[in-house]
Amino acid sequence: MGEHGHHGSDTGDDSAGERGRWVSSWPRAERARQVADVLRQQVVSGAFPEGTLPDERELGRRLGASRNAVREALGLLRDEGLVARRRGIGTTIVTPKYGHGLDRLTGLAETLTGYGAVTNEVRAARIVARPPGVIAERLGLAEGTEAVYLERLRRLGGEPLSVDTTWLAPDIGRPLLDADLAHRDVFALIEETTGGPLGSAEVTVHAVNADADTAALLGIADGAAVFAIDRLTRLPDGRPVDAESLRVRADRLALHAFLPRGSATATADRTGRAGAEEER
């Protein structure tokens, strides 16, 4: 018997309309995953501002999915730590995810305006006489040139969100050592120091498992998923001044971007121009 032939036993209370549902042709585990993906996107985008999801029947109606598929999807989101399920209360969002855009150069506090206060525990702020060679290379520093090192544990609404390590060119970083690093974004401080806006940044995002030290700082389980974000920020003239490595709780932040589609030729031209600028 085909997949459709099993729907009566799978859906229980709403099998009559199952044949026309968008997830009806997939195996049971896939159906749950697909529904979970849609629900996760809704939670992240703020579709449930009150913090409570509709009941299973209503979600099934909205999503065109069986009640059983919705129930299993909610179980997956519960296992992720995104929602909690309690009899008599329903399904509630445990830890909201905040969106961080990748299509504009902004600091964390700028991005999360309106979601709560972003504060920084400054764990290190010092001049390093001999920074690691790879850092000196990224910042374009001559051998033997010092650099400024910052490490901050960043909190949103009092809860740990990320651990950020930052290396700065000495002329950019020195003035920041006397600044209010506990309450200000580094980007804003750099712009005050230079007297103008930053230019651009190269960003790479990895998904990694938190090491024991990072997990302890962020208040998550050892090995939990985190975003590892590497960012190199430049002044408008192309000079690199800020090399950062961020470890961000994946259960509290979602990364998003608006990406217009351009021609391959245009993309290659932009890449070529960027490479030529670096060589100059």
Side-chain angles (χ1 to χ4, degrees):
M1 185 179 293
E3 174 66 17
H4 290 299
H6 293 288
H7 290 154
S9 61
D10 181 54
T11 59
D13 59 350
D14 56 357
S15 60
E18 181 70 11
R19 189 173 298 275
R21 297 181 188 277
W22 67 289
V23 294
S24 63
S25 62
W26 290 322
R28 182 169 178 169
E30 275 194 58
R31 280 180 266 169
R33 176 174 57 79
Q34 295 287 353
V35 173
D37 286 345
V38 174
L39 285 173
R40 188 186 302 104
Q41 291 169 9
Q42 289 191 300
V43 170
V44 170
S45 65
F48 309 109
E50 300 301 320
T52 301
L53 277 64
D55 62 30
E56 293 171 359
R57 190 184 299 276
E58 174 61 17
L59 285 174
R61 186 189 67 78
R62 294 186 186 185
L63 299 175
S66 74
R67 188 171 178 180
N68 275 5
V70 170
R71 182 180 299 121
E72 292 182 23
L74 291 173
L76 293 175
L77 298 183
R78 178 197 57 210
D79 293 343
E80 292 178 15
L82 188 62
V83 301
R85 309 201 70 200
R86 297 181 180 87
R87 186 177 298 278
I89 297 176
T91 304
T92 57
I93 298 171
V94 175
T95 305
K97 286 197 176 190
Y98 304 103
H100 192 303
L102 293 178
D103 47 2
R104 180 172 172 266
L105 183 56
T106 59
L108 189 64
E110 291 177 278
T111 299
L112 299 177
T113 298
Y115 291 115
V118 176
T119 58
N120 310 313
E121 176 188 330
V122 182
R123 296 173 50 79
R126 61 178 181 268
I127 297 171
V128 177
R130 287 186 173 274
V134 66
I135 296 298
E137 183 177 351
R138 292 194 77 195
L139 292 175
L141 301 177
E143 185 178 353
T145 302
E146 65 189 21
V148 171
Y149 175 75
L150 308 176
E151 181 176 306
R152 295 167 298 157
L153 172 61
R154 314 200 72 183
R155 293 185 172 90
L156 175 62
E159 292 295 321
L161 179 61
S162 70
V163 178
D164 302 0
T165 60
T166 304
W167 290 91
L168 299 158
D171 59 317
I172 302 296
R174 277 181 172 274
L176 272 59
L177 295 176
D178 297 321
D180 185 7
L181 292 169
H183 299 95
R184 300 285 307 279
D185 263 346
V186 166
F187 283 172
L189 294 171
I190 292 175
E191 290 177 334
E192 289 179 6
T193 298
T194 60
L198 289 164
S200 61
E202 303 159 26
V203 179
T204 303
V205 181
H206 310 271
V208 302
N209 296 324
D211 58 85
D213 182 59
T214 297
L217 289 172
L218 294 178
I220 56 178
D222 188 2
V226 295
F227 290 123
I229 303 176
D230 296 321
R231 182 168 59 194
L232 180 65
T233 304
R234 302 173 182 271
L235 297 180
D237 63 4
R239 178 193 169 199
V241 294
D242 179 353
E244 295 175 283
S245 178
L246 291 69
R247 296 295 181 269
V248 187
R249 284 178 55 165
D251 64 338
R252 300 204 67 195
L253 197 73
L255 305 173
H256 64 85
F258 173 75
L259 303 173
R261 181 171 172 82
S263 68
T265 301
T267 302
D269 287 346
R270 287 194 298 270
T271 304
R273 285 198 299 271
E277 288 173 0
E278 283 199 40
E279 291 173 4
R280 285 202 296 269

